[in-house]
Amino acid sequence: MTAKDYRVSDLAVARGGLVVLEGVGFTLRPGHALVLRGPNGVGKTTLLRTLAGLQPPVAGDIGLPPEAIAYAAHADGLKATLSVAENLAFWAAIYGTDRVETALNRMNLRELRDRSAANLSAGQKRRLGLARLLVSGRPVWMLDEPTVSLDAASVALFADVVRGHLAEGGAALMATHIDLGLTEAGVLDLTPFKARGQAAGTASDFDEAFA
Ligand SMILES: Nc1ncnc2c1ncn2[C@@H]1O[C@H](COP(=O)(O)OP(=O)(O)OP(=O)(O)O)[C@@H](O)[C@H]1O
């Protein structure tokens, strides 16, 4: 899938007009997962949003092309009036892939394929939201609390999906308080990078537009 290391260096990120993290640096390697840790509010979501290109960094280098990234945020981004399969077909058209059936199979959504997204349970919606990652065919997955609403069986299923992605040469950066059992995952504690909250200059207007 990719044989490239992704290097992020000296990154500063802001939220609501204040710098929340500064001096963040790490390398994401193909076949590896990195788990973001740190207390509530330290800036895990803000870092992921910045890396995914949803807001500009205050400073630093992001050695990750946006077209390499598939980002799964808190919201699942589903089209309520479309069926499960139609939602995935929509994303396949956006990403230019033909991976709908793969995603349905791997996320155990086959039996729900014709159900409208509006009529899924919270956990089923989450599974569908995460299936988009498989549809994307993109090498770097950015996951913000991916297991929220998932039962134990679905957490295990998702952990297998991530493991499969890594085995295919993909990489994953995830903020999660749940142990996915990925023994090979590294941990990046963001606490040492906490900024003192100085003003972020002009980045705030752009940030608010995407809040
Ligand atoms: N829209 C916003 N406007 C102003 N401040 C915000 C906004 N969104 C988040 N913040 C603040 O930015 C800081 C970083 O928030 P962020 O959501 O990135 O933290 P987090 O580490 O992901 O937290 P959690 O573990 O609770 O999900 C927090 O102090 C938060 O209160």
Side-chain angles (χ1 to χ4, degrees):
M1 192 177 272
T2 174
K4 199 173 173 302
D5 282 359
Y6 297 107
R7 200 158 284 125
V8 170
S9 51
D10 214 14
L11 191 66
V13 301
R15 203 73 198 269
L18 292 179
V19 179
V20 293
L21 294 168
E22 59 191 353
V24 178
F26 60 88
T27 299
L28 193 57
R29 300 201 160 82
H32 286 86
L34 192 58
V35 176
L36 299 177
R37 286 273 154 75
N40 290 141
V42 77
K44 299 179 292 294
T45 294
T46 307
L47 177 61
L48 287 171
R49 283 165 52 92
T50 306
L51 294 171
L54 296 181
Q55 61 180 78
V58 175
D61 285 327
I62 302 175
L64 268 158
E67 61 274 15
I69 297 171
Y71 175 51
H74 289 164
D76 292 313
L78 306 180
K79 312 273 169 258
T81 56
L82 298 184
S83 71
V84 166
E86 287 168 345
N87 264 278
L88 294 179
F90 170 83
W91 285 110
I94 300 275
Y95 289 116
T97 71
D98 58 358
R99 295 169 57 90
V100 172
E101 295 305 317
T102 304
L104 285 171
N105 287 336
R106 291 210 199 158
M107 287 309 291
N108 198 18
L109 288 165
R110 249 188 344 248
E111 287 176 12
L112 295 170
R113 63 179 303 142
D114 296 322
R115 174 95 49 96
S116 81
N119 295 337
L120 297 173
S121 74
Q124 290 165 344
K125 281 182 182 152
R126 195 66 185 158
R127 285 211 321 267
L128 177 54
L130 294 171
R132 185 168 59 81
L133 297 164
L134 287 164
V135 165
S136 77
R138 294 193 167 184
V140 182
W141 289 2
M142 303 231 167
L143 312 169
D144 200 350
E145 299 292 349
T147 57
V148 169
S149 303
L150 295 185
D151 61 19
S154 294
V155 170
L157 179 79
F158 181 61
D160 274 349
V161 164
V162 174
R163 224 173 268 119
H165 177 64
L166 302 181
E168 288 169 5
L173 182 66
M174 61 182 95
T176 176
H177 297 287
I178 287 196
D179 183 4
L180 281 179
L182 299 169
T183 47
E184 58 281 63
V187 172
L188 177 65
D189 182 1
L190 293 177
T191 313
F193 304 108
K194 201 166 177 320
R196 287 184 306 276
Q198 70 272 29
T202 54
S204 60
D205 291 347
F206 187 95
D207 184 4
E208 288 312 308
F210 286 88

